[in-house]
Amino acid sequence: NNGVQVWFLVYDLLPITLPHAFEKGVKGGHNEWLRVVAEGDGAICISRSVADELAKWYKSYGPVRHRPFKIHWFHIGANISASIPTTGLPSDAEKVLTTLSNNPSFLMVGTIEPRKGHAQTLAAFELLWAQGMNVNIVIVGKEGWKVETLVKRLRHHKELGQRLFWLEGISDEYLEKIYAACTCLIMASEAEGFGLPLIEAAQHKLPIIA
């Protein structure tokens, strides 16, 4: 009432556009949240694609308004050194980095969740190992939702610590070293709001499989 504008930051509409990748009820909750967003002055999205998806949603489900609802977008930052990066290396960091540097090493960065394609990627590397190819797969990210079977496979895999590495909750400092030691980034995700690892990999001049 005093003229203060209210804007929301929207990362993605994935619970709505990709509901099978989320827990039951998340789609409905996300729709309710977007209805609240649509009562404000506007939304700022983290990519042009999210802005387009939000505009499409608003056209179908947005409220009747007396003032226009504005939608803008920007790219989220990827300059880790300009933020407040976390530091610290685990005791086995040097051994892991040496192993990754000595053979072709492929990297996946992101929470382990259904849409990220970890299961398919692991199956692909199991085929490569069965064919005698000495390549590494590195997964950086915490356990998410609806991946209990996959997590069990990872934790009990015979290649864990040999050619399969799962690094949970590592520091920004360690992640930078992992990027530098790896050969290629794999982005097997079905969908993203932005896909920050693509930019991080490009900064390290890594080839990308997306």
Side-chain angles (χ1 to χ4, degrees):
N1 288 340
N2 290 331
V4 177
Q5 292 196 1
V6 178
W7 287 72
F8 286 82
L9 180 62
V10 179
Y11 271 73
D12 59 63
L13 277 72
L14 293 174
I16 296 171
T17 59
L18 210 69
H20 70 269
F22 294 87
E23 297 283 10
K24 184 179 180 180
V26 174
K27 178 180 179 179
H30 207 70
N31 265 311
E32 289 300 314
W33 179 72
L34 287 180
R35 290 188 182 98
V36 174
V37 171
E39 294 175 359
D41 291 280
I44 307 172
C45 304
I46 65 166
S47 68
R48 174 66 180 271
S49 63
V50 174
D52 289 344
E53 288 175 351
L54 180 60
K56 183 179 179 181
W57 179 93
Y58 182 83
K59 185 176 181 180
S60 298
Y61 304 107
V64 176
R65 295 172 54 99
H66 297 292
R67 290 181 292 129
F69 180 72
K70 300 175 183 177
I71 300 175
H72 296 297
W73 63 275
F74 73 105
H75 287 158
I76 54 178
N79 187 353
I80 293 177
S81 62
S83 63
I84 306 177
T86 56
T87 58
L89 303 175
S91 58
D92 65 344
E94 185 175 345
K95 178 182 177 181
V96 170
L97 292 169
T98 299
T99 301
L100 299 184
S101 298
N102 286 342
N103 287 299
S105 297
F106 295 78
L107 173 63
M108 300 182 78
V109 179
T111 301
I112 298 179
E113 52 173 291
R115 68 185 169 90
K116 294 286 189 177
H118 291 93
Q120 183 181 9
T121 303
L122 178 59
F125 274 80
E126 288 171 340
L127 287 174
L128 294 176
W129 294 328
Q131 295 167 12
M133 297 194 68
N134 197 15
V135 293
N136 302 314
I137 178 68
V138 190
I139 298 171
V140 175
K142 64 182 180 179
E143 178 181 347
W145 52 91
K146 296 180 69 175
V147 288
E148 292 81 4
T149 301
L150 173 59
V151 165
K152 187 176 181 180
R153 277 178 65 196
L154 289 171
R155 295 202 189 282
H156 297 94
H157 204 285
K158 64 180 182 179
E159 291 290 348
L160 187 63
Q162 306 299 318
R163 293 185 290 189
L164 166 63
F165 299 87
W166 179 15
L167 309 177
E168 303 177 73
I170 67 173
S171 67
D172 293 322
E173 178 186 9
Y174 194 16
L175 179 58
E176 287 285 282
K177 293 180 181 294
I178 294 292
Y179 269 114
C182 284
T183 312
C184 179
L185 179 84
I186 295 178
M187 194 75 166
S189 181
E190 292 181 51
E192 291 286 332
F194 181 70
L196 187 59
L198 297 171
I199 307 304
E200 294 174 342
Q203 289 176 333
H204 287 274
K205 294 181 170 55
L206 285 187
I208 295 168
I209 299 174

